[in-house]
Amino acid sequence: MDDKKKHILKAAMRVVIAYGFKRVSMADIAQEAGISRPAIYQIFRNKDDVFFSCLDMLVDEAFAAADAAIDGISDRKAQVSAYLLAYMGYFHNLLVAGPHGQELLDVNNRLGAEKSQAAQARFMTRLNGLMGLDAEAEDGQVLALAATGIKYHTADPAQFRARLQMLTERFL
């Protein structure tokens, strides 16, 4: 992704997190990015297109954070736990802890369901790999689904981390 596009997407995320998707206009994104509205339209067709690109960026950032979290960890159980916490924690901080989390989830379900399903499948495959299992094993799916439930139903960050730790301690 080129620097200009990434700059616009970062600006878009800042205003969407602050004000919600519905209230944000392309003019708001342009102002936050410090560029003109026509400059944004040279890269993106509309606000939904910006949202789709934001999803791609966020998923890439979440996987990068999760990969970085396990760097230097050799114990398999500790790797899975750190990976799960970093990946799920990235989205927990963004969606659950934020003031417009429910709205963003609704928009994601309406516009980005396929992208989210692909990311979830990639995440499950990665968990299976960390556990030393075949990519298609059901263990990664069960762990990811349980962690997703914890993510959406635990608002307090400390409790979220404790519950994910408990999940990995009991599951692995």
Side-chain angles (χ1 to χ4, degrees), residues 63-76:
F63 277 108
D67 287 336
I70 64 170
D71 191 39
I73 299 175
S74 57
D75 179 70
R76 190 176 296 247

Side-chain angles (χ1 to χ4, degrees), residues 132-158:
L133 303 171
D134 182 64
E136 301 299 319
E138 199 167 340
D139 299 53
Q141 181 179 12
V142 170
L143 191 56
L145 291 173
T148 299
I150 291 169
K151 174 180 69 177
Y152 291 135
H153 298 287
T154 309
D156 178 71

Side-chain angles (χ1 to χ4, degrees), residues 73-120:
I73 299 175
S74 57
D75 179 70
R76 190 176 296 247
K77 189 174 186 178
Q79 276 187 337
V80 173
S81 181
Y83 197 85
L84 190 67
L85 181 59
Y87 184 84
M88 287 292 175
Y90 183 89
F91 291 109
H92 183 267
N93 292 338
L94 191 71
L95 299 173
V96 179
H100 301 286
Q102 187 58 52
E103 179 192 353
L104 293 176
L105 287 172
D106 292 344
V107 172
N108 181 60
N109 289 336
R110 184 172 52 86
L111 297 176
E114 286 182 29
K115 286 181 181 280
S116 292
Q117 289 169 355
Q120 186 78 339

Side-chain angles (χ1 to χ4, degrees), residues 116-137:
S116 292
Q117 289 169 355
Q120 186 78 339
R122 181 176 163 197
F123 180 60
M124 292 174 200
T125 299
R126 181 68 170 127
L127 287 174
N128 281 330
L130 290 171
M131 291 185 283
L133 303 171
D134 182 64
E136 301 299 319

